[in-house]
Amino acid sequence: MKKSKYIIIILSLISIIFLIGKDYFIKDTNKQVKSIKTNPLQKNIKERKEIDILVPDYAVPPEDMIKDFEKKTGIKPNFKIMNWSRISKTLEYEEKKPDIVQLDWTWVGRYKKLNLISPIEVSNEEIEAMPSLKAFAIEDKFYAKPYFNEFRIGLFNQKQYLDSGIENIPKTWDEIYYSSKQIRDKNINRYPYHIRLSDTEYTSIDFISLAFSRNGKVFNEDGSIDIESARDTLDFINQMYYEEYISPASKDIYILDDYRRIATGETSFMIGSSSYLIGLNDKSKSSIAGEVKDIRIPGIDGSSNYILSCPEGLAIMENSKDKESAKEYIDWFTSKNVQEKLFLNSNIIPSRLDVLDEIIKSKKLKTTGEILESAKIASTPIPDIDKIYMKEMLEIISFSINKMIIGEKSLDESLYFMDDSIRNLINGNPIPDEVKQTVD
């Protein structure tokens, strides 16, 4: 009996040890299987993803960068190249939508209204590093991340100023007026001041930039035009044009001609795009390379603290079936490392201030340094309600200014036509038929 009892106890212990070992083995095996399943390399191989991206040619990274992104993430970007201006005209009518699209700062409200783009998550670090993010914000939500840091800067031909006996850098709009007079009187330049005055959206951008720099305000919170700021700006344009400091050709000028005016010495001063500075120091792109310097845009009492931000960004389409991969690409494209490489490869002004600072310090971008200060304070004077109607507003503003310049409307008529048309627009009415005719 005693022997049988001992045998039973021993067998029971063996059974317990077996069961414990079996359970441990199963758990350990499951753990290994789970580990294999969640291995990121295996996941990338098994779940390879593709996203479609609609952008201009300059927003396509070099092939080696694309391959590196694909290797690290398992996401393959498929690019469709389209002219910048065509994207805005065709995207909303295309049946097959991309996952990511180029987004200009003037399109964000319209695309949101049409439910074409999706809000994108941004960090506090990104907001601090990329102030131009705010141009893509509506009701505290961001709808794109900027990769091309377009903002307005002052460009003046230092040689022409010095040849005219002007040694000081212009800091106020009164100084621009009097220096323009002196430059012309000394026969240094026939048309020393330049601004676009054609019936195109570029004229509206120049008007908004000028009004903002002079008065710190362009629109009221309800979306209407600020009458005093608009009148002051139109009065300055009128004076400069009719005293013949601005070329008559400006009433018909387009985007490429705008850059040519400063790059060939045809004008002495203008507000221009930050990206112009790259070509102005390139002998293959400018016959007067080195003569033109960048400065902070003038204001009323000194250099202005109101600089217009005009960035280009990447947005995620609302109907994208893989928003996660789309965001991963945009995060990568706007990262510090990629931004620096894009500048070196494509001459894209970085949206990140730390990268812009680095390329200035390393002299990869020739500048007085004011471009960085302007980038830090560049902002948008456009209220949320106006962002929705931006396309139509730009048409109204350019139409009004052009009619004033060619003599079909007086300053007051242009001002109140602009004001009435914008008020009607934000109240849900269409733009006037006469504006539509010139646009079409």
Side-chain angles (χ1 to χ4, degrees):
M1 285 291 293
K2 288 183 179 180
K3 187 182 286 188
S4 299
K5 184 177 180 181
Y6 291 141
I7 292 171
I8 292 170
I9 292 171
I10 291 169
L11 290 174
S12 298
L13 287 172
I14 292 171
S15 298
I16 291 169
I17 292 169
F18 174 77
L19 290 172
I20 291 172
K22 179 182 177 184
D23 185 56
Y24 178 82
F25 174 78
I26 291 170
K27 285 182 179 180
D28 187 61
T29 304
N30 287 341
K31 189 175 180 181
Q32 290 180 41
V33 171
K34 186 177 180 181
S35 175
I36 293 171
K37 286 183 178 179
T38 57
N39 184 296
L41 293 176
Q42 292 289 334
K43 182 178 179 181
N44 285 340
I45 294 170
K46 291 181 179 180
E47 300 178 17
R48 193 170 189 79
K49 301 176 181 179
E50 295 190 16
I51 52 174
D52 296 326
I53 304 175
L54 177 62
V55 289
D57 56 0
Y58 54 81
V60 179
E63 188 64 31
D64 61 328
M65 292 175 65
I66 297 172
K67 288 181 178 178
D68 184 57
F69 171 77
E70 188 177 344
K71 182 179 179 181
K72 289 179 178 178
T73 65
I75 301 168
K76 184 180 186 304
N78 300 314
F79 294 94
K80 181 177 181 180
I81 310 303
M82 186 177 289
N83 178 276
W84 174 86
S85 60
R86 281 190 59 212
I87 292 176
S88 65
K89 296 175 183 177
T90 62
L91 181 66
E92 55 196 85
Y93 304 110
E94 286 191 353
E95 185 175 341
K96 186 179 185 302
K97 310 291 187 188
D99 296 283
I100 295 174
V101 67
Q102 163 93 1
L103 190 70
D104 185 75
W105 69 284
T106 61
W107 305 346
V108 61
R110 179 176 177 81
Y111 280 15
K112 178 185 180 297
K113 183 182 178 182
L114 294 172
N115 199 36
L116 288 173
I117 51 178
S118 176
I120 189 168
E121 184 181 342
V122 302
S123 66
N124 290 331
E125 183 275 331
E126 288 174 314
I127 294 173
E128 185 176 343
M130 298 184 285
S132 51
L133 258 168
K134 295 173 184 176
F136 297 114
I138 297 180
E139 298 174 350
D140 298 324
K141 291 183 179 180
F142 297 92
Y143 287 87
K145 286 188 180 181
Y147 71 89
F148 199 150
N149 200 8
E150 288 279 5
F151 52 92
R152 310 299 274 168
I153 59 175
L155 296 167
F156 85 112
N157 189 308
Q158 188 177 52
K159 183 178 185 302
Q160 291 183 7
Y161 269 68
L162 291 173
D163 289 347
S164 303
I166 305 169
E167 296 185 358
N168 295 328
I169 295 173
K171 293 185 177 180
T172 70
W173 286 108
D174 280 347
E175 289 175 2
I176 293 296
Y177 173 78
Y178 289 112
S179 63
S180 296
K181 185 178 187 307
Q182 189 167 332
I183 290 169
R184 192 180 66 184
D185 290 348
K186 292 286 184 73
N187 294 317
I188 301 298
N189 197 312
R190 180 69 181 85
Y191 301 111
Y193 178 66
H194 171 64
I195 185 172
R196 292 171 286 196
L197 300 172
S198 58
D199 189 7
T200 66
E201 71 173 60
Y202 305 114
T203 291
S204 301
I205 303 302
D206 281 2
F207 169 83
I208 291 171
S209 181
L210 179 58
F212 192 38
S213 69
R214 289 176 67 88
N215 304 296
K217 190 174 186 179
V218 186
F219 303 98
N220 299 312
E221 284 304 311
D222 65 358
S224 62
I225 199 89
D226 186 277
I227 290 292
E228 293 308 312
S229 178
R231 182 187 294 279
D232 165 77
T233 307
L234 290 176
D235 187 57
F236 179 78
I237 293 172
N238 232 11
Q239 181 182 22
M240 295 296 280
Y241 185 78
Y242 285 105
E243 291 186 23
E244 298 182 348
Y245 298 119
I246 302 173
S247 169
S250 293
K251 67 181 183 296
D252 302 310
I253 204 165
Y254 290 86
I255 184 69
L256 294 177
D257 289 330
D258 184 56
Y259 170 76
R260 194 197 76 232
R261 291 303 170 92
I262 193 71
T264 60
E266 293 177 60
T267 196
S268 306
F269 178 86
M270 65 179 285
I271 294 178
S273 169
S274 54
S275 61
Y276 286 3
L277 187 59
I278 297 171
L280 290 172
N281 287 300
D282 186 339
K283 291 182 180 180
S284 67
K285 296 179 181 178
S286 173
S287 59
I288 56 168
E291 292 183 13
V292 178
K293 306 296 181 183
D294 59 301
I295 60 172
R296 180 93 66 85
I297 297 174
I300 295 298
D301 301 318
S303 297
S304 182
N305 291 320
Y306 303 101
I307 309 299
L308 181 64
S309 177
C310 315
E312 296 179 38
L314 295 180
I316 300 173
M317 295 294 290
E318 180 60 40
N319 66 343
S320 170
K321 294 180 180 179
D322 192 356
K323 290 184 173 66
E324 185 178 337
S325 294
K327 184 178 183 300
E328 191 168 354
Y329 176 84
I330 293 175
D331 288 346
W332 170 80
F333 196 70
T334 55
S335 65
K336 183 176 179 178
N337 184 45
V338 174
Q339 282 273 290
E340 186 171 6
K341 289 181 179 179
L342 285 173
F343 170 77
L344 296 174
N345 282 279
S346 308
N347 287 332
I348 291 177
I349 299 291
S351 56
R352 297 186 62 96
L353 294 180
D354 51 358
V355 178
L356 182 58
D357 187 29
E358 285 181 13
I359 64 175
I360 290 173
K361 286 179 178 176
S362 62
K363 300 189 184 303
K364 294 171 184 173
L365 177 64
K366 295 179 182 178
T367 167
T368 62
E370 279 295 334
I371 190 171
L372 179 61
E373 298 308 309
S374 294
K376 288 178 180 178
I377 62 173
S379 60
T380 176
I382 316 297
D384 283 353
I385 188 170
D386 286 339
K387 289 179 181 179
I388 295 173
Y389 302 103
M390 200 66 194
K391 177 178 180 290
E392 294 84 357
M393 283 176 56
L394 295 178
E395 292 169 359
I396 290 168
I397 292 171
S398 63
F399 174 86
S400 305
I401 294 171
N402 186 252
K403 291 302 178 185
M404 180 185 76
I405 290 301
I406 64 177
E408 292 188 11
K409 291 183 185 293
S410 68
L411 188 152
D412 279 348
E413 287 172 337
S414 295
L415 176 63
Y416 290 110
F417 178 87
M418 188 188 301
D419 182 44
D420 290 343
S421 300
I422 289 175
R423 285 181 183 273
N424 288 332
L425 178 67
I426 58 181
N427 285 326
N429 299 309
I431 61 176
D433 289 338
E434 56 186 310
V435 176
K436 288 181 182 179
Q437 289 172 8
T438 62
V439 171
D440 294 340

